[in-house]
Amino acid sequence: MAILPPGTILQKIHFLQKIKNIRPGFFIEMGPGNGVLSRVLLEHKWRGDGVEEDTNSALALTKNLKEYLERGQYRVVNKNFFKINYRRKVDLVLSSMVIEHLAPRYESAFFNKSKVLLKKTGLLLCYVPGSPTNWGI
């Protein structure tokens, strides 16, 4: 079991509250990092893709979520989120501590891309740092 920082534990608790009454479906997480939130979804019978542009992060994610990849429940997509193409619509687009790092020209592009990817009843869930000093921009 991984030891998580307190902020990640609180985020995970909040995330569980948000998804507990949502029927599992298919999700895309942009920049899943070490896969903490993807794992929560996978543990609750969701299927999905983690879209990670950085190759080293994608390799680490592959190791962290190996059992879900082996079951075919999860894929690591080592591509730029803005360049991915999906034929099917998804139930959830998730971004945690990522959009605040986007260049200004990609900020609205993120929301537009998410809208294209989501089913009409789909959800977009974004987590961002709570204070400007932690935004990383």
Side-chain angles (χ1 to χ4, degrees):
M1 176 185 244
I3 297 174
L4 301 173
T8 303
I9 293 168
L10 292 173
Q11 181 185 40
K12 194 173 161 184
I13 290 167
H14 181 265
F15 186 61
L16 279 166
Q17 291 297 312
K18 288 289 182 194
I19 67 157
K20 72 179 181 182
N21 294 320
I22 302 171
R23 195 178 96 195
F26 193 88
F27 73 93
I28 295 173
E29 183 174 5
M30 178 179 110
N34 60 9
V36 170
L37 296 182
S38 281
R39 180 179 293 280
V40 170
L41 289 167
L42 296 165
E43 288 171 347
H44 287 83
K45 309 298 183 216
W46 285 75
R47 300 173 60 80
D49 289 349
V51 179
E52 178 55 65
E53 185 173 12
D54 180 74
T55 302
N56 290 331
S57 296
L59 289 171
L61 185 62
T62 299
K63 290 177 188 173
N64 289 345
L65 298 176
K66 181 181 177 181
E67 69 267 30
Y68 299 102
L69 275 83
E70 289 173 349
R71 287 186 213 151
Q73 190 178 349
Y74 190 71
R75 288 186 321 149
V76 175
V77 179
N78 188 204
K79 289 186 178 178
N80 181 298
F81 177 79
F82 299 102
K83 295 180 181 176
I84 59 170
N85 291 310
Y86 282 83
R87 292 184 183 167
R88 68 190 268 190
K89 299 286 187 174
V90 303
D91 300 288
L92 174 68
V93 173
L94 173 63
S95 170
S96 177
M97 308 301 171
V98 175
I99 62 172
E100 69 275 9
H101 298 285
L102 296 176
R105 70 180 183 273
Y106 289 114
E107 291 167 354
S108 61
F110 168 75
F111 293 101
N112 292 332
K113 178 72 173 188
S114 297
K115 185 177 179 180
V116 167
L117 293 169
L118 286 166
K119 294 178 180 178
K120 286 187 180 192
T121 57
L123 299 171
L124 171 61
L125 184 56
C126 298
Y127 285 96
V128 295
S131 68
T133 57
N134 295 312
W135 287 352
I137 52 175

